[in-house]
Every structure is written in structure tokens, then in C-alpha cells.
Amino acid sequence: MRSQQVVNEHFTSAAPFWNDVYQAADAAGQRYRQRLELVLRWFDRLVLPAGTRILDVGAGAGWSSVAVAARGFRVDAIEPVEAMLELIRANARAAGVAERVEAETGDVHALVAAAATYDVVLALGVVPWLHSPRRALEEIVRVLKPGGYAIVSCDNRAALAGLLDPMRHPALDGLRRAVSTLLRRLDIRKVPAQSVRAHLQSLRSFDRLIESVGLTRLRGQTYGFGPFSFMNRSLPDVIDLRLQAWLQRLLDNGMPLIGNYGAGYCVLAQRLTTQPSPGGTG
């Protein structure tokens, strides 16, 4: 099992990236803006009353928390990384919503909130980095009110950008690790082994996991198609952005199957009034 401390250390060092990426003009920025725009569209369709309590777990630099608070809701932003908490507070102040965003240290695997506290829980870009996704989702369900909503995302194992690059294709992960280990043992490759990497899931397995913890899937949609690369060399941003825009138009126009290959996958789900027995798949 991957140590959560190692993951937290990774995000501590990467905090400036997560603060800047939503405003970046490159392909990565486009991808994360698309995710936030999708989530906010779903959020607005829920037509929740002002003052509704929202939990944003693994809130990162707080861009989703700030966007939700700007709609008049109260947000508890939970993060295990202190550098991220400082960014959440700073971004909430800059947006004029500091009084509606409470940023606290927390672990999604063991939330301190009482059962049935929140109307909505957001977990965006969180599940791919957890040592126990099922346990975290069970905690999300526990703190949701009956009939409450969860918006959760994963990284798509069948993302087109990964399938087109032999150095990123998921089916070749084992071979790449074996070759990399051999080269380091022969002292041919000097760089250390990559210790932190997001876990990829198929859309079907993620749907099964969501449903196994007592959530009913209402909507599911992939988002973003880049950044693209070949042999780990990134495409120029101008080409990447045009390619993403073309693929997004195909998706918006209802082209069959293209929606299976987005970079990430978001699910809007609702808590059942009765919960399943412990255990199950995941």
C-alpha cells in the first residue's frame, strides 16, 4: 500500500503548480478548467438553497471551494497538506468569500464530521491519489445527509492521451517499470524510480465502486483530452489546444464513443436512504 505521507509530501512540493494551473493558458490548464466548469454546471442544476453546507475534500488550492462559496454556500475545505490550506485561505480572501470558506486539516479516510452533516461533498482529483479509495468513499457517504449528493472524479485508464503515447500507455506499465529497474541496476539510468503516480481506473470500475458504497450514479461524463505527448515529449501548446478543442466539439456534437476517452471522469451521485452492508468491491 502506498504511504499517504509520501503523497502528501509530493503535493506539498507541487502546491504552486496547483495554485496556478487553473489560470494557465496551456493544455493542462484547459483540462482542469473543463473539469471545474462541468462540476459547476451540475452543481447549479441541483438548485440548492443559500447557506447549504458543502464539504470539499482534498480541496487543493481551493478553486472549487471558492467557486462554490461565490454561489452563496458554506464550504468546509479539507486538506492534509498545510501549504494547500494556506492557498485556500488566501484565494478565498482574494475572492471576497473568506467568511464562507473554512479551511482545516483533515484526512478523507477519517473525516471528523458527524454523520449526515453535509448536503453535498466534492472530491475532485482526490481518488487517484488515495491509499484506500473505498474507505474514503465510505466516509464521504457517512457524512452525507440521506438524499445528499457527491461529485467525485477519477483519472481515466482509457484516456486518449495515454493510449497514443507508448511511454504512457497503461498496458505497458509493467514493462516500463521492469526496463527502468534494470537500467538503474546496471547504472545506465541515473534518475530515481518515480515514487508517486496517480492511479488510473476504468469508467466501469469507478461506477461499480461508487455504487458499492451506497451511492446512486445520476450522471457520468469524461472531461479534457490533453495534454498530449509522444515518447514523453509534449506537443506544442498551440497544437495541443487545437486538438483538444476539435475533440471536444466531436463530444459536444454527440459523436459515438469519443466520451470514453477523456482524460478524467466525473460522477454526480446521490446517497441512498439505506446503506449497503460493509464490504463489496473496490
Side-chain angles (χ1 to χ4, degrees):
M1 181 181 294
R2 176 172 57 188
S3 167
Q4 202 65 44
Q5 182 178 353
V6 173
V7 175
N8 293 347
E9 290 171 354
H10 167 76
F11 278 96
T12 296
S13 63
F17 168 83
W18 291 107
N19 192 45
D20 297 339
V21 69
Y22 282 89
Q23 301 170 348
D26 59 15
Q30 175 76 350
R31 169 180 170 178
Y32 292 110
R33 284 192 297 274
Q34 287 176 333
R35 182 178 71 187
L36 183 56
E37 290 164 4
L38 170 62
V39 168
L40 293 176
R41 284 198 304 272
W42 286 355
F43 201 95
D44 291 342
R45 291 172 186 168
L46 297 178
V47 194
L48 300 166
T52 294
R53 292 196 68 184
I54 312 298
L55 177 63
D56 190 0
V57 299
W63 292 109
S64 54
S65 296
V66 167
V68 169
R71 285 158 163 74
F73 303 112
R74 297 167 53 203
V75 182
D76 290 339
I78 301 300
E79 251 295 330
V81 175
E82 183 60 36
M84 293 293 199
L85 290 170
E86 293 173 2
L87 291 172
I88 295 169
R89 295 174 185 129
N91 289 327
R93 286 194 299 270
V97 295
E99 74 282 359
R100 292 199 292 273
V101 177
E102 187 72 28
E104 298 290 347
T105 302
D107 179 2
V108 67
H109 299 94
L111 297 171
V112 299
T117 296
Y118 295 99
D119 298 279
V120 182
V121 177
L122 304 179
L124 308 180
V126 177
V127 169
W129 302 96
L130 299 178
H131 63 73
S132 181
R134 181 181 177 83
R135 174 59 184 157
L137 288 169
E138 288 173 341
E139 276 291 274
I140 287 172
V141 172
R142 182 184 66 81
V143 302
L144 268 177
K145 295 178 181 178
Y149 299 94
I151 302 179
V152 189
S153 74
C154 74
D155 285 358
N156 184 11
R157 183 173 176 81
L160 186 61
L163 297 178
L164 294 178
D165 188 342
M167 298 300 292
R168 297 170 58 190
H169 198 295
L172 300 177
D173 276 349
L175 176 61
R176 284 195 298 271
R177 285 195 297 270
V179 171
S180 180
T181 298
L182 177 62
L183 292 177
R184 278 191 296 274
R185 288 177 177 174
L186 296 174
D187 203 27
I188 297 173
R189 187 178 186 187
K190 304 295 184 180
V191 298
Q194 185 173 355
S195 59
V196 180
R197 181 178 295 176
H199 175 65
L200 307 178
Q201 287 181 267
S202 71
L203 309 189
R204 183 174 297 178
S205 69
F206 192 61
D207 284 343
R208 286 199 301 263
L209 178 59
I210 290 289
E211 293 170 356
S212 73
V213 298
L215 292 168
T216 298
R217 176 183 172 278
L218 303 179
R219 293 176 181 271
Q221 184 176 322
T222 61
Y223 62 87
F225 289 94
F228 287 94
S229 62
F230 187 73
M231 300 304 291
N232 271 346
R233 295 184 179 273
S234 299
L235 294 184
D237 282 329
V238 64
I239 297 175
D240 204 326
L241 290 169
R242 288 177 180 174
L243 182 56
Q244 284 201 64
W246 176 67
L247 290 165
Q248 188 63 45
R249 284 196 299 273
L250 293 179
L251 177 62
D252 294 342
N253 290 331
M255 181 176 180
L257 302 179
I258 191 69
N260 292 336
Y261 300 104
Y265 179 53
C266 273
V267 169
L268 169 64
Q270 189 171 26
R271 180 186 167 180
L272 299 174
T273 54
T274 58
Q275 295 305 102
S277 301
T281 61

